[in-house]
Amino acid sequence: MEGICVLGISGSVGQSTVKVLRSFPNFFSLKAFSVHSNIKLAKDLIQEFSPLLVCITDEGARQILGDAFLSTKIVYGEEGLDEIVSLSEVRTVVTAIVGSIGARPTITAIKAKKKIAIANKETLVTFGPLINALVEEHGVSMVPVDSEHNALFQLLEKEERNNIRAITLTASGGSFRDLPLDEFKHVTVQQALKHPTWSMGPKITVDSAGLVNKGLEVIEAHFLFGFSYDQIEVVIHPESIAHGLIETKDGACFLYASHPDMIFPIAHSLFYPSKTPKLLLERKPFSWKELHFREPEAKRYPALALAYQAGRAGGTAPAIFNAANEVAVALFLEERIHFTEIPQVIDESLSKVENSFPNDLAGYLEKDREVRNFVLENFKKGVMR
């Protein structure tokens, strides 16, 4: 039985992972997990799975849980994350924490030679060159969990690399895909959080509304698969049935399609390199009815072009893009800036914060801090409004 550690088990990917673990009790055992501050969920999962280690990243929760809960040891903070991914009984680490906080435990897990089922896109976006070098150095498998990247991962295993002209990530288009452009300046947080297809956390849902998430995924795809940015394309696909496409040199396209449920990519990533052994969910192709595809509108999704700009610049430019977006989304969710100001914050940060090319984690982390301080200081001065 394979030991699993889930970083960020309270989020949508984490909860979908639990669903998969329940479906395969004879194959996987939840040995460790982390939550931020959802103590009730932590207690429920401890009672159900009896993991060896649980990390609470909110240090304030220590007074509630203490350091032990029945047969489970409780650890805290970033050091606790390092401890749970290093557990000898763990073979696969599912990195489902949202944000760049997921980078450090992912690096620790790579150095501990764990298989990485990566759902934390910010880790590759911000630290891509470093992560890839470590994966190669330690000889570990890294399987993407995001539905689009997992689809491409499976398609690329079936086709010779030199026969591929382009790869395409599909996007639902988010909450505002059909909203008239002149109404964007009036959108509310509540409107942004109403995703038409997926059930996700607030940050990712807002990212989806502006296609920032797809911009991050373009950069992630570059680091995962090694294609140039000219070979990575994005298409709006409202039904979210087709998750990824590859185009061969003769112009033919192959697509990976499934009902929009994260159990498919999660199960694949946990079982890889073996095949998932049973039916997960049956949806006949006729149930899809119609599939539509359209090009993303530049005026509707200005952040997408900024992501390509950051990716092509290399160095810490993707980290600048990501950090600026994280702060901007937080300000939007607090109703301190408008939705349309999120790409403006990203653009301003890419223009004003100097790009650099560090060769260690500290250099990337320093740039991440610099960008966050830059955005917050300029917001306080009113420069960002």
Side-chain angles (χ1 to χ4, degrees):
M1 188 174 294
E2 184 172 319
I4 305 296
C5 171
V6 181
L7 301 178
I9 206 166
S10 62
S12 59
V13 173
Q15 286 297 284
S16 293
T17 303
V18 171
K19 183 179 177 181
V20 172
L21 295 178
R22 289 179 181 135
S23 297
F24 297 97
N26 296 325
F27 290 85
F28 305 109
S29 176
L30 183 63
K31 296 297 184 182
F33 66 82
S34 78
V35 298
H36 180 61
S37 58
N38 194 334
I39 304 303
K40 181 183 184 307
L41 176 64
K43 288 182 176 180
D44 290 344
L45 291 175
I46 288 171
Q47 291 177 335
E48 180 178 357
F49 292 99
S50 299
L52 299 174
L53 273 175
V54 169
C55 176
I56 313 295
T57 54
D58 180 4
E59 293 276 5
R62 188 183 295 269
Q63 295 179 346
I64 302 174
L65 271 182
D67 298 321
F69 187 89
L70 299 177
S71 60
T72 300
K73 179 182 176 183
I74 310 297
V75 293
Y76 294 89
E78 290 189 355
E79 292 76 13
L81 291 176
D82 286 341
E83 188 172 349
I84 66 173
V85 300
S86 301
L87 193 66
S88 60
E89 290 84 353
V90 167
R91 179 175 179 269
T92 298
V93 176
V94 180
T95 64
I97 292 179
V98 176
S100 56
I101 189 177
R104 172 174 160 173
T106 300
I107 290 172
T108 301
I110 292 170
K111 291 181 177 179
K113 297 187 182 301
K114 310 296 185 182
K115 184 178 84 173
I116 308 298
I118 187 162
N120 172 268
K121 59 176 60 70
E122 291 84 0
T123 293
L124 276 173
V125 169
T126 304
F127 311 101
L130 177 64
I131 297 295
N132 280 348
L134 288 170
V135 166
E136 183 176 357
E137 177 185 350
H138 295 280
V140 302
S141 296
M142 187 162 64
V143 184
V145 172
D146 273 351
S147 61
E148 296 84 1
H149 295 100
N150 185 267
L152 289 170
F153 183 90
Q154 294 190 57
L155 289 169
L156 290 169
E157 282 199 313
K158 303 177 189 302
E159 186 62 44
E160 291 184 10
R161 174 75 175 229
N162 61 8
N163 192 41
I164 296 173
R165 191 200 72 81
I167 62 175
T168 299
L169 297 156
T170 61
S172 69
S175 310
F176 306 133
R177 66 191 179 202
D178 298 313
L179 186 73
L181 292 176
D182 59 3
E183 295 183 23
F184 266 62
K185 58 186 177 183
H186 302 299
V187 300
T188 66
V189 172
Q190 291 71 29
Q191 288 175 303
L193 294 178
K194 292 180 180 179
H195 195 280
T197 306
W198 298 96
S199 175
M200 306 179 292
K203 193 266 183 183
I204 299 177
T205 306
V206 173
D207 282 350
S208 176
L211 229 59
V212 172
N213 72 318
K214 210 54 51 177
L216 293 170
E217 289 175 13
V218 165
I219 298 171
E220 184 182 8
H222 169 74
F223 288 118
L224 277 170
F225 307 125
F227 288 96
S228 72
Y229 288 99
D230 291 338
Q231 294 176 287
I232 304 172
E233 300 174 353
V234 173
V235 65
I236 301 296
H237 171 52
E239 293 81 10
S240 298
I241 296 294
H243 304 287
L245 301 90
I246 60 172
E247 181 184 352
T248 54
K249 287 184 177 178
D250 64 0
C253 288
F254 298 89
L255 64 82
Y256 175 99
S258 71
H259 185 71
D261 193 313
M262 286 301 296
I263 61 171
F264 293 105
I266 291 170
H268 170 267
S269 66
L270 293 183
F271 277 103
Y272 185 83
S274 300
K275 300 296 184 182
T276 304
K278 73 174 185 179
L279 180 70
L280 296 172
L281 187 67
E282 186 172 15
R283 291 289 187 275
K284 298 297 185 183
F286 60 74
S287 69
W288 301 344
K289 297 181 180 177
E290 295 181 329
L291 302 182
H292 299 89
F293 301 90
R294 64 178 187 250
E295 188 177 1
E297 301 171 60
K299 290 184 178 180
R300 185 177 298 274
Y301 305 112
L304 183 59
L306 293 173
Y308 275 96
Q309 174 187 323
R312 290 187 172 103
T316 56
I320 295 170
F321 179 98
N322 177 70
N325 176 65
E326 286 191 16
V327 178
V329 170
L331 291 172
F332 170 68
L333 290 170
E334 295 168 2
E335 300 183 336
R336 299 168 71 188
I337 66 172
H338 298 299
F339 178 77
T340 53
E341 292 178 285
I342 295 174
Q344 294 174 18
V345 169
I346 297 171
D347 191 13
E348 184 79 4
S349 300
L350 286 170
S351 300
K352 299 291 178 62
V353 178
E354 183 180 359
N355 191 15
S356 59
F357 294 81
N359 55 13
D360 58 11
L361 179 62
Y364 286 98
L365 290 173
E366 177 56 36
K367 185 61 64 173
D368 182 83
R369 284 190 291 268
E370 180 186 348
V371 175
R372 293 170 192 275
N373 290 335
F374 170 81
V375 174
L376 289 174
E377 288 173 6
N378 281 278
F379 171 77
K380 291 175 184 177
K381 296 175 183 177
V383 176
M384 290 292 184
R385 294 190 65 85

